[in-house]
Amino acid sequence: LSQAPNGVTCHTGAVQPGVVLISDPRVVTITPLECGEPLVDLRELPRLRIDRRKWDESAGWHHGRRGLADRLVAAAQALPEGLELLIVEAFRSPVRQAEYWNHYRAELHEHYPGLSEERLYELASRWVAPPDVAPHSTGGAVDLTLCDDAGVELDLGSPLDATPEQSEGACYTDAEVAEPAATNRATLLRVLRGAGLVNYPTEWWHWSYGERYWAFHTGAEHAL
């Protein structure tokens, strides 16, 4: 473990200076207001493919709020010919979110048994949001990657959902990765940011619109 300049204990080289985690009080205290947007079935939208690795019985994982869906379509249309967005998980139930959170906290505690509860909370929030602030459970966040028009997933430098420990920091959006992953990642960032989506900088695959982290990043008065 090393000590990052922002005070977060982390896997060596994993956290860049200035990264604000989703557990930060500046994010958690943002007030969400009900926007009334419906959940949209992302399977019905052009140039979006749905991956089944996060399948659940509710079929919720391939749904997102309208504001998110509209921006995903805009991003997909900006991709070079032959590329598509591969949606792995959008809406996530609070129950599933809590399962992810508890599992990763337990994993970190096993690896680093000397961490305080406060530091363990910070470390866990690099990779999974605390349930009370989780953007996926608002329908406003999505985990995704790139694929070709045959559905073959492209190399983006680390497996989607790899933890900082598993990827040696390559999961961080600004991490240096080799070609062709560097070009693929740059393409993904360009179209998603261009469509108005916000990335969580510890996960290159996580993008959102309207939730608390988006509000913090954009300076919006409220989350949606």
Side-chain angles (χ1 to χ4, degrees):
L1 293 178
S2 65
Q3 191 77 15
N6 63 356
V8 178
T9 301
C10 59
H11 187 275
T12 300
V15 175
Q16 303 94 334
V19 167
V20 175
L21 297 175
I22 201 166
S23 59
D24 190 291
R26 291 172 291 175
V27 178
V28 175
T29 55
I30 291 173
T31 302
L33 295 180
E34 176 58 55
C35 64
E37 285 184 352
L39 288 176
V40 174
D41 190 339
L42 302 179
R43 295 176 302 177
E44 300 173 356
L45 304 180
R47 295 185 71 177
L48 300 184
R49 286 183 179 258
I50 307 299
D51 188 280
R52 292 181 60 82
R53 75 188 75 173
K54 295 295 182 72
W55 177 92
D56 66 33
E57 292 182 354
S58 73
W61 90 96
H62 56 73
H63 289 75
R65 279 195 293 105
R66 169 60 68 185
L68 175 69
D70 290 345
R71 286 159 180 80
L72 289 174
V73 170
Q77 291 173 342
L79 284 171
E81 193 67 30
L83 296 183
E84 297 180 351
L85 295 179
L86 183 64
I87 307 299
V88 175
E89 187 175 25
F91 175 76
R92 183 185 297 157
S93 72
V95 171
R96 176 173 274 199
Q97 184 69 34
E99 289 173 352
Y100 288 176
W101 172 255
N102 291 334
H103 177 80
Y104 188 48
R105 282 185 79 260
E107 186 177 292
L108 287 172
H109 181 69
E110 183 176 343
H111 282 294
Y112 314 125
L115 293 180
S116 67
E117 282 298 314
E118 180 181 1
R119 190 52 55 82
L120 188 63
Y121 183 87
E122 290 178 324
L123 266 184
S125 67
R126 296 171 306 159
W127 185 74
V128 59
D132 60 343
V133 71
H136 280 279
S137 298
T138 73
V142 62
D143 294 340
L144 51 69
T145 186
L146 288 176
C147 66
D148 63 23
D149 53 11
V152 177
E153 191 169 339
L154 303 188
D155 178 11
L156 271 84
S158 81
L160 187 149
D161 267 353
T163 67
E165 293 76 28
Q166 292 166 341
S167 67
E168 297 185 345
C171 63
Y172 286 82
T173 306
D174 291 338
E176 292 187 9
V177 294
E179 294 293 353
T183 295
N184 292 337
R185 193 178 289 199
T187 297
L188 187 73
L189 268 57
R190 174 178 58 82
V191 300
L192 293 170
R193 285 173 173 162
L197 296 173
V198 166
N199 172 248
Y200 191 45
T202 63
E203 302 176 343
W204 59 258
W205 56 84
H206 178 100
W207 296 81
S208 65
Y209 172 77
E211 45 68 57
R212 285 184 176 104
Y213 201 81
W214 168 89
F216 171 79
H217 184 84
T218 62
E221 186 175 354
H222 302 289
L224 305 178

